[in-house]
Amino acid sequence: MSASNTKTSVAAISIFASGGMAAAKFVVGVAIGSLALISEALHSAIDLVATIITWAVVRVSDQPADAEHHYGHGKLESVSALGIIALLYVLAGGILVEAYSRLRDGSPPPSISAIPFVVLVVDIIVNLWRARALHRAARETKSQALAADALHFASDVMGSAAVIVGLILAGLGFWWGDAAAAIAVAVMIALLGLRMARETVETLLDRAPEGAQEKATAAIKAVSGVVGVDRLRVRMVGPTHFIDAIAKVPRTYPIDRVEEIKRKAQAAVTKALGDADLTFTAVPVARDNETVRERIMVIARNSGLAIHHVTVHDLGGKLIVGIDLEVDGEMDLAAAHTIAHNLEHAIREDFGEDVEVDTHIEPLQPELPWGTDAAPDRVETIKAALTRFAADGAIHDIHNVRVRDTDAGEIVNFHCRAAPSMSVIKVHDSVDEIERALRRAFPTIKRVISHAEPPRA
């Protein structure tokens, strides 16, 4: 059963229980002339009104957010709780006034018989059952309206017990026992209203639920990639925790990695708090362990530039940086040089004026160059050449050769094998030598893309 159906069904059952017990206590109270029993009956009548309101409210409060209520309708439960509190205080005041009047005038005690005690015992049993059911449903659904209703019925148990004591006192000859029990009922109603008022007002004032901030902060910090949490705020709207978090993430992370962190943070707070809606603001920060290459890549990315083959050398305390900068191949040299100059200036601002930066400008390759597969004999010719150039080196087993004709020239892809113990640097240098030899032998080749792999097992 869904949370909405649980709240509605529990509230509906409570309506019938409230109505039946209120009527029974009122009839018996009037019959024997007991102010305490009549007061408790009126208290149950208020509970009946509260339960009907609760039943109606939970049907509305569970509706999803709309164009006018961006946080849903959960606060309606708090507003309904305020109305119930007002009714409780009106009832408590009326009971106190009538009890004082009876004590002042010395009204006769009620007629004592077994009937009121039977009614009160049954009332206690029913109230214990429905208070427990409502409390369990309120805890599962985080419904403030159901929690308030559960408190009503728990207070009914104490009120019924006070009435029993008052009737016993009256039966023992203490004429004031019934009025004293009525006062006790009024005081319990007032204390209940005070507790409800405090919780309801705190919710309306967006007081953070106890422990929620700590749990949410710990959950977000535990997500891989989160450097820290700058600020986190929590508010409750009905059963939902709305969380506003500002978290630090490494500035070197790409956007898709940051989005993954956001998704994991939402899952983490949902696991920690249950129903949660997270607004996650990522603030990029520089980590202490950033490398020089990572810092340069961030500078270029922030400038919207494509760079690669970043080399960094430390020569006697002086930083030497080399960069390949890709720009539009149709751009004139003056404009390209200006872009390179601005990039170099940004790097010097970050590392200091004594850093030496050399930028190699090259044309940006088109994303989707037009092309067709080369003829089979052309592929065989190039494969034979690759095999010949690799014959005397560490690279062998040239295979999966593909040649494509494009507007920019021929593009060659091939796979090869090398010893599994060879370092990446040695493999790269060996393959690079083969690629240079191939381009010298075939000037029409624009680009060579190789894939080195270890021998088959």
Side-chain angles (χ1 to χ4, degrees):
M1 183 180 293
S2 67
S4 177
N5 290 336
T6 297
K7 290 195 289 186
T8 303
S9 61
V10 170
I13 293 171
S14 192
I15 289 175
F16 294 103
S18 296
M21 294 314 303
K25 286 187 288 186
F26 185 79
V27 170
V28 175
V30 172
I32 67 173
S34 171
L35 175 62
L37 191 51
I38 294 173
S39 299
E40 184 57 26
L42 292 175
H43 184 198
S44 295
I46 295 294
D47 287 345
L48 175 59
V49 174
T51 304
I52 294 174
I53 293 175
T54 300
W55 181 75
V57 164
V58 295
R59 295 173 66 89
V60 177
S61 64
D62 281 335
Q63 293 180 4
D66 53 34
E68 296 180 348
H69 305 89
H70 298 178
Y71 292 93
H73 302 78
K75 284 293 177 71
L76 185 60
E77 294 192 10
S78 300
V79 174
S80 70
L82 287 178
I84 295 170
I85 292 167
L87 291 175
L88 288 174
Y89 274 106
V90 170
L91 174 61
I95 293 172
L96 288 174
V97 170
E98 180 62 23
Y100 172 74
S101 176
R102 293 198 176 196
L103 289 174
R104 182 190 59 195
D105 299 337
S107 299
S111 303
I112 304 300
S113 67
I115 295 177
F117 291 100
V118 172
V119 170
L120 289 168
V121 169
V122 172
D123 182 63
I124 289 174
I125 294 173
V126 172
N127 283 332
L128 283 174
W129 170 79
R130 57 185 179 170
R132 181 180 178 184
L134 283 167
H135 179 70
R136 182 169 58 249
R139 185 174 63 249
E140 292 174 355
T141 61
K142 294 183 175 62
S143 170
Q144 191 173 31
L146 288 183
D149 221 11
L151 278 176
H152 284 166
F153 297 139
S155 70
D156 278 353
V157 173
M158 296 183 293
S160 296
V163 175
I164 290 175
V165 173
L167 291 176
I168 292 174
L169 289 174
L172 294 175
F174 298 97
W175 64 270
W176 46 263
D178 184 63
I183 293 174
V185 172
V187 170
M188 282 186 283
I189 292 173
L191 292 176
L192 170 66
L194 180 63
R195 177 179 175 181
M196 287 179 55
R198 182 178 69 249
E199 295 177 353
T200 303
V201 170
E202 286 177 348
T203 300
L204 290 173
L205 293 177
D206 289 330
R207 181 180 183 273
E210 185 175 354
Q213 184 180 39
E214 292 76 12
K215 290 180 181 179
T217 300
I220 293 175
K221 283 184 176 180
V223 174
S224 176
V226 173
V227 178
V229 177
D230 268 352
R231 188 190 72 190
L232 188 142
R233 298 183 296 189
V234 184
R235 61 184 298 205
M236 288 291 294
V237 178
T240 305
H241 296 79
F242 284 89
I243 304 166
D244 178 13
I246 298 178
K248 299 176 182 177
V249 298
R251 65 175 183 169
T252 55
Y253 281 6
I255 294 177
D256 56 349
R257 177 72 183 277
V258 175
E259 287 300 317
E260 181 184 0
I261 291 175
K262 290 182 179 181
R263 289 193 296 270
K264 290 183 176 179
Q266 173 66 68
V269 296
T270 299
K271 182 178 180 181
L273 298 176
D275 191 358
D277 188 316
L278 173 65
T279 299
F280 186 99
T281 302
V283 178
V285 295
R287 293 177 295 177
D288 294 337
N289 61 348
E290 273 187 7
T291 65
V292 173
R293 183 176 287 103
E294 286 176 332
R295 290 169 63 183
I296 292 174
M297 295 298 290
V298 169
I299 293 170
R301 187 182 66 202
N302 291 342
S303 301
L305 301 177
I307 65 172
H308 65 277
H309 199 203
V310 179
T311 58
V312 181
H313 302 283
D314 187 354
L315 301 180
K318 184 174 183 179
L319 195 64
I320 310 297
V321 177
I323 302 172
D324 283 2
L325 170 65
E326 296 181 353
V327 298
D328 185 354
E330 301 300 324
M331 182 182 295
D332 60 70
L333 178 60
H337 182 268
T338 299
I339 293 174
H341 174 77
N342 291 338
L343 175 60
E344 293 172 0
H345 178 70
I347 293 173
R348 291 190 183 95
E349 280 188 336
D350 194 274
F351 290 92
E353 288 297 329
D354 58 340
V355 64
E356 181 179 315
V357 185
D358 292 312
T359 305
H360 170 66
I361 302 174
E362 62 180 47
L364 181 66
Q365 295 296 324
E367 291 186 4
L368 297 172
W370 179 87
T372 59
D373 289 328
D377 57 343
R378 179 64 172 175
V379 175
E380 289 300 324
T381 299
I382 291 179
K383 181 179 180 180
L386 286 169
T387 303
R388 185 172 66 255
F389 296 143
D392 298 329
I395 303 300
H396 61 279
D397 189 14
I398 304 297
H399 61 284
N400 199 18
V401 179
R402 301 180 302 280
V403 182
R404 296 178 176 89
D405 294 320
T406 72
D407 294 338
E410 288 180 306
I411 297 178
V412 177
N413 299 72
F414 71 93
H415 288 206
C416 60
R417 302 189 189 279
S421 59
M422 282 185 66
S423 68
V424 174
I425 293 177
K426 289 183 179 180
V427 173
H428 178 270
D429 290 344
S430 299
V431 173
D432 194 47
E433 184 177 346
I434 296 172
E435 293 175 358
R436 288 196 300 269
L438 185 66
R439 283 195 294 269
R440 286 194 299 267
F442 300 92
T444 56
I445 293 177
K446 175 64 177 178
R447 190 180 182 191
V448 180
I449 304 171
S450 61
H451 173 74
E453 54 195 15
R456 293 177 179 174

